[in-house]
């Protein structure tokens, strides 16, 4: 599976293998350099960034996306450009959605994310949608609703059709 494919479907196993190669120490260093999340990588398993005390707020997600967009992260210009290309989720009639989904479980609740930005010729709109579903929820469309909720808001704002 390519990184682009893994990114599109949030293939956790691919990111686990990458995290093993990077190592927890280096991973933590770059999270700190990027000021991404709370730096609490307490989970002992191989998917240490996805569970445990590590957390990030929607505003921190937006700050990170702004740095990515403005090429202000501690990575090479080439790697930032590759990331931007991999993030392209949808081409619109008048713009592009670049985004990433996420999903974790905290205290029996599913927490789903869709974060990214919509680029149009006249403006860029950043978003961080975070939804929670309780363990007794009968909602069966949780995976798709992160995107649907976000797009509906942008439709109401007339940013997209």
């Amino acid at each position: 599976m390519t990184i682009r494919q893994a990114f599109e479907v949030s293939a956790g196993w691919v990111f686990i293998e990458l995290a093993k190669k990077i190592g927890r120490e280096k991973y933590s260093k770059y999270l700190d350099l990027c000021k991404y999340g709370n730096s609490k990588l307490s989970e002992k398993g191989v998917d240490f960034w996805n569970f445990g005390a590590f957390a990030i707020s929607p505003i921190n997600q937006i700050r990170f996306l702004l740095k990515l967009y403005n090429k202000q992260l501690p990575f090479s210009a080439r790697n930032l450009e590759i990331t931007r290309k991999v993030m392209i989720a949808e081409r619109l009639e008048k713009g592009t959605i670049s985004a990433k989904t996420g999903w974790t479980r905290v205290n029996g609740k599913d927490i789903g994310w869709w974060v990214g930005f919509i680029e149009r010729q006249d403006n860029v709109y950043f978003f961080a949608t975070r939804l929670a579903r309780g363990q007794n929820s009968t909602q069966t469309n949780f995976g798709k609703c992160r995107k649907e909720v976000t797009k509906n808001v942008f439709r109401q704002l007339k940013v997209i059709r």
Side-chain angles (χ1 to χ4, degrees):
M1 180 173 274
T2 67
I3 293 296
R4 179 183 252 311
Q5 291 167 328
F7 200 89
E8 285 176 13
V9 299
S10 285
W13 67 270
V14 173
F15 298 110
I16 287 170
E17 292 305 314
L18 287 172
K20 286 180 190 175
K21 289 179 181 179
I22 295 166
R24 183 186 294 262
E25 191 174 304
K26 189 182 275 188
Y27 206 103
S28 180
K29 172 188 163 190
Y30 279 102
L31 289 174
D32 288 344
L33 286 171
C34 294
K35 294 183 173 67
Y36 187 86
N38 65 7
S39 300
K40 296 179 181 176
L41 295 179
S42 60
E43 173 67 27
K44 301 299 181 211
V46 292
D47 50 356
F48 52 84
W49 73 92
N50 200 26
F51 297 102
F54 182 72
I56 187 167
S57 69
I59 193 69
N60 188 219
Q61 290 276 22
I62 296 295
R63 287 180 180 138
F64 178 80
L65 288 167
L66 283 164
K67 288 181 206 170
L68 171 67
Y69 188 83
N70 291 311
K71 300 176 182 153
Q72 297 171 333
L73 291 172
F75 305 105
S76 71
R78 178 180 178 270
N79 285 337
L80 291 172
E81 188 57 34
I82 290 168
T83 302
R84 292 271 307 269
K85 286 180 181 175
V86 167
M87 284 182 69
I88 295 172
E90 189 175 338
R91 297 204 186 269
L92 307 169
E93 182 181 323
K94 293 186 179 183
T96 304
I97 300 176
S98 297
K100 175 70 178 90
T101 59
W103 191 330
T104 192
R105 187 166 260 277
V106 178
N107 299 326
K109 280 187 180 174
D110 287 311
I111 308 292
W113 289 88
W114 199 41
V115 301
F117 50 90
I118 298 173
E119 272 184 294
R120 293 187 352 175
Q121 203 169 14
D122 62 336
N123 209 343
V124 180
Y125 303 86
F126 293 85
F127 62 89
T129 303
R130 178 177 67 183
L131 302 175
R133 174 178 67 175
Q135 62 192 54
N136 297 325
S137 173
T138 58
Q139 209 279 349
T140 58
N141 197 21
F142 188 67
K144 289 183 180 180
C145 76
R146 301 166 287 181
K147 294 179 182 181
E148 290 170 1
V149 166
T150 306
K151 286 181 175 183
N152 283 337
V153 168
F154 279 116
R155 281 187 195 100
Q156 290 175 21
L157 294 171
K158 299 191 182 335
V159 172
I160 65 173
R161 295 180 189 229

